[in-house]
Amino acid sequence: MENYIINLKLLYLFIIFTIGFSITGENIYDNSWALIIGIDKYHNVQKLNYAVDDAESIKDILRDSYNFPSKNISILINEEATKPNILKSFSEITKNAKENDRVLVFFAGHGETMDLPGGGEKGYLIPVEGDAEELYLTSIPMDELREIALMSEAKHMLYLVDACYGGIAAVGSRGLEPQQTPDYINKVTKFQSRQVITAGGRGEKVIEKPEWGHSAFTLNLLRGLKDGAADYNADGFITANELGMYLSDKVSTDSENQQTPQYGRMTSQEGEFIFVYSENTIINQDISSVSSDEKLDLLIAKIDKLESQNKNVEVVDEDEEEYYDDESDFSITYDEEDYDDDKDDKDIGWKTNSEVWFYVQYIKSNTYNKILPNFNRVSIGGAYNFYKKMYVNVAYSHYYDKDVNKSWLKIDPQYFEAQGIQFGLTIPIINHNLETQVSYSLCNSQYDIDGEFEDDFGDRKLGHNIAINLLGTWAEDDDSSFRFLLNFGYDINDLINESNEKLLNGLAIGFGFQFVSVDY
């Protein structure tokens, strides 16, 4: 604790010393450009779930938090993200970006690695029509991205690649050390840079989870940029190197070491792509034009922010982790609940570009009716994620069974059948591990000798069903396509047999299962 107080005081002195020399995004760059690519619906390789959502989220944070002009952000989604379109967009950015501009390229999709005959490997990004069996003809090699970067006049370029593959086209240059370089930010913003951060290496798998609504890489990329969590030295700036260190740590943790982001430089130039954390641009302004009192107010605001971030540093329980700057003993404590809040933020609001989940559902219903004590319900339909984690369902429903009394007495059995449409709403209770589904069905039901909708029916009525289902999965994660089901329903139907006995009217309780397509 004593060391922490000493280091915090030193940090305050550092702020006092540097506040008069601080710079803003406007001082660093004349303009900002971005190309954002997200592909879910691949033609020849496995489809993804959240690449398009990832791309849209990156677009929003660049525009809203880091002052990228909307007109300078190009986005290619699914069918738009063909190899010719991607290369054309690269070419346009190369022409448009000037010598004091920055360029960010974000790609969410598949990557693949090709072994070279002479040893080594070559990484590829796969466009929407790409084929893993014909990488050279259909995909984009990473070394071509390096050539494009070298042709650009832009001061800083950063590739953020949410794909796993080998051969990231990076060199071993470390760049300048912040703790050992006087006037570090001013120096790294003057030099050019071409940098890359990828989601993982060869043989690793990009991890996506419905509870995140993103891949592990993009989830932590948003966390790192949104509230400045990747600003390890709390100077108001997030460098590409800091971001790479942050993602390497966090993604490895969230993916349970199934993927580890790689980061490096495409050239030996020692500049750094800079994100000026928006909340601090007020504090890190050019203060030559403000009074001494205003300078003091700026410093107090900075100190209050730091104390707020670190007020719980004395107690580190099981729900907290400490992150250390590699160059000092100073530590910052982050509570996992803060991350949960960030995660929840991603689920707020209406959605207009979600995919459809297709499902098949079977229920064995039991009633209190001795004429028809049980029957089968089958539904085939789709669910659309329209708001937060809520889904609206539409399905075709089919009910079917025999009149049990007729079967037991060895009389020609009479059949009960119903066909219709079901509307529902699925609401998560515990993510997708436990959900409730409320539904209404409108069915044309019939009682006859063969279960066919022909002219020889005994009775035919239009009926209704109102139901509440509990859906759960046995898996610890919620990627499982199988869900068990508990059904509570009430049927309203005047369908009768030849003895004027109602077949389907009253409470029904059922058990069953649901299969959901997770690869759409």
Side-chain angles (χ1 to χ4, degrees):
M1 182 62 188
E2 184 177 347
N3 288 336
Y4 162 72
I5 294 173
I6 292 173
N7 281 299
L8 189 58
K9 288 180 177 178
L10 290 174
L11 182 60
Y12 292 165
L13 291 175
F14 175 76
I15 294 167
I16 293 170
F17 177 77
T18 59
I19 195 168
F21 301 96
S22 298
I23 52 180
T24 67
E26 288 73 16
N27 299 125
I28 301 173
Y29 302 114
D30 290 339
N31 214 339
S32 301
W33 306 84
L35 172 60
I36 299 173
I37 303 162
I39 310 171
D40 286 333
K41 298 179 179 179
Y42 276 97
H43 297 172
N44 303 309
V45 296
Q46 183 180 6
K47 295 178 175 61
L48 295 171
N49 297 329
Y50 300 108
V52 170
D53 287 343
D54 291 344
E56 295 285 358
S57 296
I58 295 301
K59 171 189 168 185
D60 291 343
I61 199 169
L62 292 180
R63 180 193 62 212
D64 299 339
S65 298
Y66 290 97
N67 300 318
F68 278 69
S70 295
K71 65 180 181 179
N72 292 355
I73 301 177
S74 301
I75 184 164
L76 301 176
I77 299 298
N78 285 330
E79 297 298 331
E80 301 169 341
T82 62
K83 181 177 179 180
N85 283 351
I86 293 174
L87 293 177
K88 179 182 177 182
S89 297
F90 276 134
S91 176
E92 290 174 351
I93 281 185
T94 301
K95 295 176 182 176
N96 291 332
K98 303 306 178 185
E99 61 181 359
N100 203 40
D101 293 352
R102 62 177 167 179
V103 174
L104 184 145
V105 178
F106 175 84
F107 177 88
H110 279 299
E112 190 56 79
T113 305
M114 174 187 289
D115 290 319
L116 301 178
E121 54 191 20
K122 190 170 187 175
Y124 286 84
L125 301 182
I126 303 181
V128 67
E129 81 281 24
D131 189 340
E133 301 299 322
E134 295 288 349
L135 288 175
Y136 179 76
L137 294 176
T138 65
S139 301
I140 301 171
M142 275 301 297
D143 54 6
E144 185 166 337
L145 301 189
R146 179 178 180 275
E147 294 301 319
I148 292 172
L150 292 176
M151 293 190 313
S152 175
E153 293 181 14
K155 179 161 65 174
H156 295 156
M157 289 190 69
L158 175 61
Y159 290 99
L160 297 171
V161 184
D162 194 352
C164 295
Y165 57 90
I168 69 170
V171 300
S173 175
R174 292 185 58 187
L176 299 176
E177 295 291 342
Q179 304 299 328
Q180 300 175 11
T181 306
D183 202 13
Y184 171 73
I185 288 294
N186 281 307
K187 288 186 177 179
V188 297
T189 55
K190 290 179 181 177
F191 300 139
Q192 278 198 336
S193 71
R194 302 291 184 264
Q195 294 167 279
V196 58
I197 306 174
T198 72
R202 177 176 186 166
E204 296 180 343
K205 179 182 178 182
V206 171
I207 304 299
E208 298 180 312
K209 287 188 179 182
E211 67 191 75
W212 298 338
H214 295 289
S215 69
F217 180 84
T218 299
L219 173 72
N220 284 287
L221 177 58
L222 293 170
R223 286 173 175 173
L225 293 178
K226 181 180 178 184
D227 295 321
D231 182 11
Y232 273 156
N233 60 1
D235 63 352
F237 303 95
I238 300 173
T239 66
N241 191 58
E242 280 182 310
L243 187 59
M245 293 168 56
Y246 175 86
L247 291 172
S248 181
D249 180 19
K250 302 302 180 185
V251 174
S252 298
T253 300
D254 282 349
S255 67
E256 298 178 345
N257 296 315
Q258 294 182 65
Q259 66 177 100
T260 301
Q262 311 291 312
Y263 59 98
R265 297 174 180 272
M266 291 180 161
T267 68
S268 59
Q269 295 161 313
E270 295 183 324
E272 282 280 350
F273 190 100
I274 299 289
F275 295 92
V276 180
Y277 174 37
S278 297
E279 183 178 334
N280 291 326
T281 55
I282 299 173
I283 294 173
N284 291 332
Q285 60 183 298
D286 179 2
I287 63 169
S288 59
S289 61
V290 300
S291 68
S292 298
D293 289 341
E294 289 173 321
K295 291 179 184 179
L296 182 58
D297 290 341
L298 292 173
L299 178 58
I300 292 173
K302 185 77 171 181
I303 291 173
D304 287 343
K305 179 176 182 293
L306 287 170
E307 288 181 337
S308 175
Q309 287 179 341
N310 297 283
K311 62 183 179 181
N312 295 322
V313 75
E314 293 183 51
V315 180
V316 181
D317 58 24
E318 293 180 355
D319 293 328
E320 295 180 330
E321 298 179 12
E322 285 192 8
Y323 301 96
Y324 292 88
D325 189 321
D326 291 338
E327 303 297 330
S328 73
D329 294 331
F330 174 71
S331 65
I332 303 175
T333 301
Y334 295 87
D335 196 306
E336 290 182 357
E337 292 180 359
D338 294 336
Y339 286 163
D340 290 338
D341 292 340
D342 287 345
K343 180 171 66 179
D344 291 340
D345 288 344
K346 310 300 183 300
D347 298 319
I348 293 175
W350 298 92
K351 300 186 179 183
T352 58
N353 61 348
S354 297
E355 300 290 348
V356 175
W357 291 65
F358 294 100
Y359 67 89
V360 177
Q361 184 171 291
Y362 170 80
I363 301 171
K364 185 69 173 180
S365 287
N366 297 278
T367 73
Y368 292 97
N369 190 334
K370 65 179 181 180
I371 307 300
L372 194 68
N374 53 65
F375 60 94
N376 307 295
R377 301 182 196 256
V378 177
S379 300
I380 301 173
Y384 179 80
N385 181 203
F386 72 101
Y387 182 73
K388 295 186 180 179
K389 293 183 179 180
M390 297 169 60
Y391 290 76
V392 60
N393 314 316
V394 179
Y396 161 76
S397 289
H398 182 216
Y399 307 164
Y400 182 85
D401 214 34
K402 294 181 181 180
D403 181 332
V404 175
N405 283 351
K406 295 281 186 182
S407 180
W408 285 347
L409 297 173
K410 297 184 179 180
I411 301 173
D412 290 338
Q414 299 291 317
Y415 289 84
F416 156 74
E417 186 179 35
Q419 299 181 35
I421 189 168
Q422 179 189 79
F423 302 95
L425 184 66
T426 302
I427 304 170
I429 299 174
I430 305 175
N431 293 322
H432 291 292
N433 294 97
L434 183 63
E435 299 173 310
T436 180
Q437 182 186 63
V438 181
S439 66
Y440 164 77
S441 300
L442 180 66
C443 289
N444 184 20
S445 53
Q446 181 170 295
Y447 179 73
D448 64 8
I449 61 172
D450 56 11
E452 299 293 335
F453 278 81
E454 299 169 346
D455 293 333
D456 58 345
F457 60 87
D459 192 24
R460 180 182 291 170
K461 290 288 192 307
L462 192 65
H464 312 268
N465 172 263
I466 300 171
I468 297 177
N469 299 328
L470 290 178
L471 298 165
T473 176
W474 297 113
E476 291 183 1
D477 59 26
D478 48 24
D479 291 333
S480 173
S481 60
F482 176 84
R483 288 171 170 80
F484 59 86
L485 185 153
L486 176 62
N487 166 264
F488 300 92
Y490 195 91
D491 292 285
I492 304 171
N493 199 312
D494 292 329
L495 187 71
I496 59 175
N497 63 12
E498 63 274 18
S499 302
N500 290 325
E501 296 171 309
K502 288 188 177 182
L503 297 171
L504 188 66
N505 195 70
L507 181 66
I509 299 176
F511 300 90
F513 56 84
Q514 183 186 83
F515 280 107
V516 181
S517 69
V518 294
D519 181 19
Y520 38 74

